[in-house]
Amino acid sequence: MRETTDSEWDNRVRWDPTDARGHVESHFLRANSRDGRRAVWIKHTLLSPAGKAGVGVAEVWAVAFERGGRKVGVKSTVPIRAARYSASPFRAETGEAVLETGAARGAAESGGHRIGWDIGFDPRGPSYHPFPLEGMYSRNAPFPKSKTLTPYSDIEISGWVEVDGERWTLEGWPGMQGHNWGLSHVHSYVWAHANAWDEGADGPTWFEGFSARPKVGPVVTPWLSVTAVHVGGETWRFDGLRALTSRAVHVGWYAWRATFVRGEARLRVDIEAEREDIAGLHYENPDGSMTYCLNSKLARGTIVLTRPGEPPLCLRSDKVALEIATKDPEHGVPMLV
């Protein structure tokens, strides 16, 4: 019998159809062209409303980005009971779209647009768990209510994507595959990931991090942050108390700038997207409220890692995934989907 990998186990669906508290869950895949001109984002989502166990919708999202402002976004929706999921091997099937270990294929259409895809990747791990304590991933852990991890942090994606009839060929595009779930989307957050660098990297290198302001009861917390850089076969994690509660965090409508410290190591993050390269997305919550996601896969960023006994490592990229979520509708980005 085939053995389930750790990454597949991390991809297993957490929705419990007997739980009436409400649930939102996403598996997503992102790829960037090496020249920095194009990017693709594909997402499978489950949304179950609060107070109604066993019902809801399953969605497939796709956005194709071209630098300079062209963005095509689509979403297809089916009843949640029409979606199919398995854990070993991992497989998510929503309508005509399938995401499984090492592959994704299907299509979605809305608003007069259609995006289709047939792509594959080498499913190499290990997974990245950003939370410092594994107990925080427990379903009944009171904090955080929204969980996130990355089954595949550094992959190369090949195949094709067809955007309104125009076929894009993907040949070794760098990318990643993530998974998040919870009782709702975080009140506000910024998340970023990069694994394709214009300069600074020597060998496989990836960065991932987020800052979030979750609600605890009626109170919205200050920014809480977790970040990591994987370089030279070693992962430098900034998830201790000093980094988690860093006040050196600035989140703008289209930018994230922050500094994190752990022991003698320091990490500086400076990431920004042009407004024209951002897709506005409606993220509905199980309680019916709306979160606005400002989503770009063509952000520019500089990551500086300072380690004891070594010169600073400066990484630069124009292929950074940047997502900023807000409850404020006055964000200035046209909503695409």
Side-chain angles (χ1 to χ4, degrees), residues 18-337:
T18 68
D19 192 333
R21 292 181 296 172
H23 186 82
V24 61
E25 182 164 3
S26 296
H27 296 81
F28 60 94
L29 189 67
R30 185 267 300 173
N32 283 76
S33 65
R34 292 194 176 274
D35 63 8
R37 291 179 52 246
R38 288 174 167 173
V40 177
W41 174 81
I42 298 165
K43 184 176 76 152
H44 288 239
T45 296
L46 288 170
L47 176 62
S48 180
K52 297 181 180 180
V55 300
V57 296
E59 303 165 334
V60 179
W61 305 62
V63 179
F65 297 84
E66 286 193 274
R67 191 173 300 282
R70 185 192 177 202
K71 301 174 290 291
V72 177
V74 294
K75 181 177 74 171
S76 293
T77 304
V78 300
I80 202 167
R81 290 294 187 178
R84 299 288 181 267
Y85 299 90
S86 65
S88 182
F90 166 70
R91 179 182 172 93
E93 183 175 352
T94 308
E96 59 179 301
V98 173
L99 174 63
E100 57 189 353
T101 301
R105 57 191 175 276
E109 56 185 304
S110 61
H113 298 284
R114 177 182 172 88
I115 299 178
W117 57 92
D118 190 346
I119 55 181
F121 61 91
D122 178 16
R124 59 177 184 258
S127 295
Y128 168 54
H129 292 198
F131 296 160
L133 303 174
E134 282 302 308
M136 297 172 74
Y137 286 98
S138 167
R139 179 176 182 82
N140 294 317
F143 184 85
K145 293 182 178 180
S146 181
K147 326 289 186 182
T148 183
L149 47 74
T150 306
Y152 302 105
S153 295
D154 184 26
I155 55 179
E156 291 187 349
I157 297 173
S158 297
W160 57 264
V161 172
E162 197 165 84
V163 184
D164 286 341
E166 178 187 0
R167 181 160 293 199
W168 297 1
T169 300
L170 284 60
E171 296 180 351
W173 286 22
M176 56 84 68
Q177 189 255 302
H179 181 198
N180 54 61
W181 67 95
L183 300 177
S184 67
H185 297 289
V186 182
H187 180 271
S188 53
Y189 70 84
V190 54
W191 170 89
H193 181 279
N195 65 323
W197 307 97
D198 305 328
E199 58 179 277
D202 183 14
T205 302
W206 56 261
F207 160 81
E208 184 171 338
F210 66 83
S211 294
R213 298 189 66 199
K215 284 188 77 172
V216 180
V219 178
V220 179
T221 74
W223 290 109
L224 303 176
S225 306
V226 174
T227 57
V229 179
H230 180 86
V231 58
E234 183 177 2
T235 303
W236 291 82
R237 299 178 62 103
F238 293 83
D239 57 6
L241 183 62
R242 188 176 179 186
L244 181 71
T245 59
S246 174
R247 298 283 74 85
V249 175
H250 169 76
V251 180
W253 283 132
Y254 320 133
W256 181 33
R257 298 181 175 89
T259 298
F260 307 105
V261 177
R262 184 167 187 176
E264 297 182 49
R266 178 181 294 266
L267 181 67
R268 181 167 59 83
V269 176
D270 190 343
I271 300 171
E272 186 167 6
E274 297 292 335
R275 177 180 168 182
E276 64 184 6
D277 293 324
I278 299 173
L281 305 174
H282 289 103
Y283 281 5
E284 186 177 351
N285 290 287
D287 66 1
S289 66
M290 191 62 66
T291 296
Y292 304 95
C293 179
L294 312 184
N295 187 319
S296 179
K297 300 297 176 274
L298 298 174
R300 304 178 190 273
T302 300
I303 311 297
V304 180
L305 174 64
T306 304
R307 298 161 289 180
E310 298 189 39
L313 174 67
C314 183
L315 302 165
R316 291 188 174 90
S317 178
D318 62 357
K319 297 169 280 291
V320 181
L322 176 67
E323 297 183 13
I324 298 174
T326 177
K327 304 292 283 187
D328 186 349
E330 302 301 323
H331 46 69
V333 174
M335 302 307 290
L336 190 65
V337 181

